[in-house]
Amino acid sequence: DGGITQSPKYLFRKEGQNVTLSCEQNLNHDAMYWYRQDPGQGLRLIYYSQIVNDFQKGDIAEGYSVSREKKESFPLTVTSAQKNPTAFYLCASSPGTLWAQHFGDGTRLSIL
Amino acid sequence: AQRVTQPEKLLSVFKGAPVELKCNYSYSGSPELFWYVQYSRQRLQLLLRHISRESIKGFTADLNKGETSFHLKKPFAQEEDSAMYYCALSVPGGSYIPTFGRGTSLIVHP
């Protein structure tokens, strides 16, 4: 079954803690993306990667970090520097940036 | 920077009525435009893109460069069309990384 898998579905973070959201794809796509979705805000781009071992900041990268060591994996770390991390996080991939994106089911992050 | 505006947060229609979800963009060149849809409890997925010029689930969208718009239309709404709709724009200057609008929630009443 091809597609994008995000885990976990729900995640809770304590104050001052870093947490990592997983995103894996088996579509052999080169490009991967992380978005943050808040009510009334649409999708805001956090980071994107067009190729393995390369990634670029999006519009709201502060307080987040990523890595792209493998083509199929693009984990997102929400660091303690992110002051308002409570949100729904979406991962996406596409063959290239000009192509339509395929999305995961998302991870909902909450602060304890 | 390019921008996508979806002026309506919520659009409420009755079944069988025509529906038009508005999307305006700011870009002077030739953009790539997409409509994505998110049904309840489902993942966000592509509905259509302007380059393919196809009709999906009865929806069409025409790129109007003069008005910089890409409105999504359907002549007769169905209850199963109720969903969140996002317009997205990709431009060469931004490495084609898409910019999304804030979304319009469509509710189709029986």
Side-chain angles (χ1 to χ4, degrees), chain B residues 53-78:
Chain B
R53 303 188 67 80
E54 56 191 342
S55 172
I56 304 294
K57 298 186 179 184
F59 284 97
T60 58
D62 291 317
L63 175 60
N64 186 324
K65 289 188 180 179
E67 296 183 358
T68 58
S69 68
F70 189 56
H71 303 328
L72 184 67
K73 300 177 184 179
K74 185 170 184 177
F76 307 103
Q78 303 299 315

Side-chain angles (χ1 to χ4, degrees), chain A residues 33 35 43 45 59 97-99 101, chain B residues 2 34 36 88-91 94-100:
Chain A
Y33 317 78
Y35 292 94
L43 276 69
L45 183 65
D59 300 320
T97 54
L98 182 56
W99 296 78
Q101 295 177 323
Chain B
Q2 62 271 18
F34 307 83
Y36 288 86
L89 166 75
S90 292
V91 302
S95 299
Y96 288 107
I97 302 300
T99 299
F100 283 80

Side-chain angles (χ1 to χ4, degrees), chain A residues 79-95:
Chain A
T79 74
S80 56
Q82 171 51 240
K83 297 306 176 189
N84 185 23
T86 297
F88 190 64
Y89 292 88
L90 279 172
C91 179
S93 73
S94 63

Side-chain angles (χ1 to χ4, degrees), chain B residues 41-58:
Chain B
R41 293 184 174 75
Q42 293 187 30
R43 57 180 63 183
L44 192 61
Q45 60 188 287
L46 177 71
L47 180 62
L48 56 82
R49 60 184 298 182
H50 93 273
I51 197 171
S52 57
R53 303 188 67 80
E54 56 191 342
S55 172
I56 304 294
K57 298 186 179 184

Side-chain angles (χ1 to χ4, degrees), chain A residues 15-100:
Chain A
E15 295 284 350
Q17 193 179 47
N18 293 354
V19 290
T20 297
L21 285 61
S22 170
C23 179
E24 304 276 331
Q25 54 101 358
N26 60 6
L27 298 167
N28 200 34
H29 286 171
D30 284 319
M32 296 187 75
Y33 317 78
W34 274 106
Y35 292 94
R36 174 177 168 140
Q37 192 176 28
D38 297 285
Q41 296 281 338
L43 276 69
R44 292 185 290 169
L45 183 65
I46 304 173
Y47 269 97
Y48 67 96
S49 167
Q50 294 178 274
I51 198 167
V52 175
N53 292 321
D54 185 57
F55 49 82
Q56 306 295 329
K57 291 182 179 180
D59 300 320
I60 55 166
E62 186 175 347
Y64 300 96
S65 66
V66 293
S67 63
R68 187 85 187 276
E69 297 175 2
K70 297 186 295 183
K71 187 175 186 177
E72 59 269 22
S73 179
F74 192 41
L76 173 74
T77 296
V78 184
T79 74
S80 56
Q82 171 51 240
K83 297 306 176 189
N84 185 23
T86 297
F88 190 64
Y89 292 88
L90 279 172
C91 179
S93 73
S94 63
T97 54
L98 182 56
W99 296 78

